[in-house]
């Protein structure tokens, strides 16, 4: 008996979406990090594939489309390359693209970081003039052409000041892939700027990680790696090699990242304050015991490697909810990076309605992991949970999920 695969569509996530994305990458239709979340970029990649293969263009991956994509994997590459950004995406990188389109006279609408109809229209016009396959989506060829152009930030335009020119020769940028990109990603992970995987694909998360590093190092925050940025990353990485181990008494961003990862896996270190104290040491020790590692209470390479794995739900729970879910970054709201209960926001935290789930509760969220419910929000009322993430790209990838299972652990 033949069993048809389910139709995958925007908002869905899981291993089947991961498989689809990997096949789209191999077929040359997707140039973003494979994350298992069916977002706007994946939808556009599917639609372009369907159009090219004479299938009904729905943007949804039904059984026929999925089989066709798998068959096409590794047998060619889409003219124009894989999709990097598409209508529905948001974030600083979209702002960057809009500024370039506006500077060249193609975008007449707002520069707001939202890839809407005005941006799609501008991209189409740009592609027509540059003789790039016209799709309205920013694919690899379009991205390369745009990044060669001058960019005039909206703030500079408003003040009548000249904007910076992107004259540098970039070593890596969005759409690049290979072992060298994977090596770069591993360095960024060790430095605490990137959450895995190191899949060798320079996507939105990698760009956000690079931008964060550049900002901290006082470099131009482009999100792309030029020779100067690469040199700084290598220098800082070498200087910290052998020093990725954290123990009691340490403090700083890497400790915050460790504490949030422990939360994500269900090991509560107490308030996420960036200080490696007794609570963090105890949480690491309990994690090591569960992972059958030596119980030292020290976060060494083995601990970091295991924390990169997907959290798994274990144990009992008090109550189960089916909730609507959104995502937020530490920069949202007041932008102070703290939750309502005082911890550093990010992965491992969630905002809830205290009348539904009491503040301080620990929950497990399907497709996400464990979180401490230590935050609230003006739009968080009733049966909704806002999960913490580290970057805008992660927030957009999570999107709005109409129904996720949430287990109240304690």
């Amino acid at each position: 008996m033949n069993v048809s695969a389910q139709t995958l569509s925007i908002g869905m996530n899981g291993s089947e979406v991961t498989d689809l994305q990997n096949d789209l990458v191999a077929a040359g239709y997707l140039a973003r990090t494979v994350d298992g979340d069916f977002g706007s970029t994946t939808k556009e990649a599917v639609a372009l594939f369907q159009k090219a293969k004479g299938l009904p263009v729905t943007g949804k991956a039904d059984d026929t489309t999925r089989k066709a994509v798998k068959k096409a994997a590794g047998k060619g590459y889409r003219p124009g390359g894989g999709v990097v950004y598409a209508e529905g995406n948001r974030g600083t990188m979209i702002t960057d693209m809009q500024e370039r389109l506006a500077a060249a006279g193609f975008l007449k609408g707002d520069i707001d970081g939202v890839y809407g109809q005005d941006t799609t229209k501008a991209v189409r016009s740009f592609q027509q003039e540059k003789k790039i396959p016209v799709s309205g989506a920013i694919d690899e060829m379009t991205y390369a052409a745009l990044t060669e152009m001058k960019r005039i930030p909206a703030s500079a335009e408003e003040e009548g000041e000249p904007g910076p020119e992107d004259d540098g020769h970039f070593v890596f940028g969005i759409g690049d892939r290979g072992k060298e990109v994977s090596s770069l990603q591993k360095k960024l992970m060790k430095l605490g700027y990137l959450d895995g995987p190191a899949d060798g694909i320079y996507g939105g998360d990698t760009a956000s990680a690079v931008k964060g590093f550049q900002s901290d190092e006082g470099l131009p925050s482009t999100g792309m790696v030029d020779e100067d940025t690469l040199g700084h990353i290598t220098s800082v990485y070498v200087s910290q090699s052998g020093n990725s181990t954290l123990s009691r008494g340490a403090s700083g961003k890497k400790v915050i990242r460790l504490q949030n990862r422990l939360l994500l896996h269900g090991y509560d270190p107490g308030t996420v304050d960036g200080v490696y104290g007794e609570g963090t040491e105890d949480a690491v020790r309990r994690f090591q015991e569960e992972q059958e590692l030596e119980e030292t209470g020290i976060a060494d390479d083995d601990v970091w490697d295991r924390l990169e794995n997907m959290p798994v739900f274990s144990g009992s729970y008090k109550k189960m909810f089916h909730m609507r879910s959104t995502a937020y970054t530490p920069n949202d709201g007041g932008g102070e990076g703290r939750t309502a209960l005082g911890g550093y926001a990010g992965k491992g935290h969630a905002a809830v309605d205290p009348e539904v789930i009491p503040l301080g509760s620990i929950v497990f969220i399907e497709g996400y992991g464990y979180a401490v419910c230590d935050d609230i929000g003006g739009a968080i009322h009733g049966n909704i949970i806002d999960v913490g993430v580290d970057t805008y790209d992660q927030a957009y990838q999570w999107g709005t999920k109409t129904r996720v299972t949430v287990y109240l652990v304690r």
Side-chain angles (χ1 to χ4, degrees):
M1 177 181 176
N2 293 325
V3 179
S4 296
Q6 68 169 321
T7 295
L8 302 177
S9 59
I10 198 163
M12 299 179 72
N13 63 83
S15 60
E16 288 185 282
V17 176
T18 298
D19 290 343
L20 171 67
Q21 290 175 326
N22 279 322
D23 290 339
L24 285 166
V25 170
Y29 281 80
L30 182 65
R32 291 292 296 271
T33 301
V34 173
D35 55 13
D37 288 323
F38 198 120
S40 300
T41 311
T42 303
K43 177 184 176 182
E44 182 66 22
V46 169
L48 289 174
F49 178 86
Q50 290 170 327
K51 182 178 180 180
K53 301 302 179 182
L55 300 170
V57 180
T58 63
K60 298 178 181 180
D62 57 13
D63 197 13
T64 301
T65 298
R66 291 171 65 178
K67 288 178 180 178
V69 173
K70 187 169 289 293
K71 185 177 179 180
K75 296 181 180 178
Y77 211 74
R78 174 184 173 270
V83 178
V84 179
Y85 297 120
E87 189 167 320
N89 288 154
R90 300 167 178 248
T92 55
M93 295 302 290
I94 301 303
T95 300
D96 180 83
M97 295 293 100
Q98 289 175 326
E99 288 171 345
R100 295 174 191 277
L101 288 164
F106 291 96
L107 179 63
K108 307 301 181 185
D110 294 335
I111 297 175
D112 55 6
V114 179
Y115 201 133
Q117 292 182 358
D118 286 344
T119 303
T120 299
K121 183 178 179 181
V123 170
R124 283 181 174 275
S125 298
F126 177 80
Q127 290 169 329
Q128 287 173 345
E129 179 164 308
K130 299 295 182 179
K131 301 189 184 321
I132 297 171
V134 178
S135 64
I138 297 176
D139 53 23
E140 291 170 275
M141 188 179 292
T142 306
Y143 182 85
L146 282 169
T147 53
E148 289 176 358
M149 298 167 52
K150 296 178 181 179
R151 177 177 69 89
I152 303 178
S155 57
E157 288 178 337
E158 290 167 4
E159 298 172 11
E161 300 174 358
E165 297 183 7
D166 292 327
D167 294 326
H169 296 286
F170 294 110
V171 181
F172 299 117
I174 284 190
D176 289 338
R177 62 189 74 200
K179 292 181 179 179
E180 292 85 357
V181 175
S182 179
S183 176
L184 170 71
Q185 291 171 324
K186 289 176 180 177
K187 288 183 175 71
L188 289 167
M189 289 168 66
K190 288 292 185 182
L191 294 175
Y193 289 92
L194 178 67
D195 295 319
D199 57 5
I201 301 173
Y202 200 117
D205 282 348
T206 303
S208 293
V210 168
K211 195 167 186 177
F213 175 85
Q214 290 169 326
S215 177
D216 286 347
E217 294 294 313
L219 300 170
S221 299
T222 64
M224 294 177 285
V225 179
D226 56 15
E227 292 179 1
D228 193 24
T229 298
L230 184 60
H232 273 76
I233 291 174
T234 301
S235 176
V236 175
Y237 176 78
V238 170
S239 70
Q240 293 189 15
S241 292
N243 296 324
S244 60
T245 296
L246 295 175
S247 59
R248 193 164 181 174
S251 61
K253 286 185 177 181
K254 290 194 72 173
V255 177
I256 293 172
R257 181 169 180 260
L258 172 66
Q259 291 171 326
N260 281 341
R261 291 305 166 278
L262 287 166
L263 277 175
L264 195 65
H265 283 264
Y267 298 87
D268 188 359
T271 300
V272 176
D273 54 7
V275 178
Y276 202 124
E278 181 179 357
T280 302
E281 184 179 64
D282 179 63
V284 169
R285 199 183 302 276
R286 286 185 282 114
F287 180 76
Q288 289 170 322
E289 179 183 11
E290 181 67 27
Q291 296 292 318
E292 298 182 351
L293 299 172
E294 183 180 359
E295 298 171 34
T296 63
I298 297 172
D300 55 17
D301 285 343
D302 286 334
V303 170
W304 284 109
D305 288 343
R306 301 292 177 89
L307 285 172
E308 295 301 332
N309 295 332
M310 186 68 185
V312 177
F313 183 43
S314 61
S316 58
Y317 60 92
K318 295 182 177 180
K319 191 173 181 180
M320 181 178 73
F321 302 86
H322 291 299
M323 308 186 80
R324 182 170 175 266
S325 180
T326 52
Y328 74 107
T329 76
N331 296 317
D332 291 341
E336 297 178 356
R338 295 273 190 167
T339 68
L341 295 188
Y344 282 100
K347 283 189 175 180
H349 301 266
V352 294
D353 183 340
E355 294 187 4
V356 178
I357 297 179
L359 285 180
S361 299
I362 301 293
V363 298
F364 183 87
I365 305 157
E366 178 185 35
Y368 176 84
Y370 288 89
V372 57
C373 299
D374 60 350
D375 214 350
I376 56 177
I380 311 302
H381 300 292
N383 215 36
I384 184 171
I385 188 165
D386 203 20
V387 301
V389 294
D390 297 325
T391 68
Y392 286 117
D393 278 301
Q394 291 172 5
Y396 300 134
Q397 288 165 12
W398 181 263
T400 298
K401 302 184 186 301
T402 57
R403 180 184 170 92
V404 296
T405 303
V406 178
Y407 299 92
L408 176 61
V409 179
R410 66 176 186 274

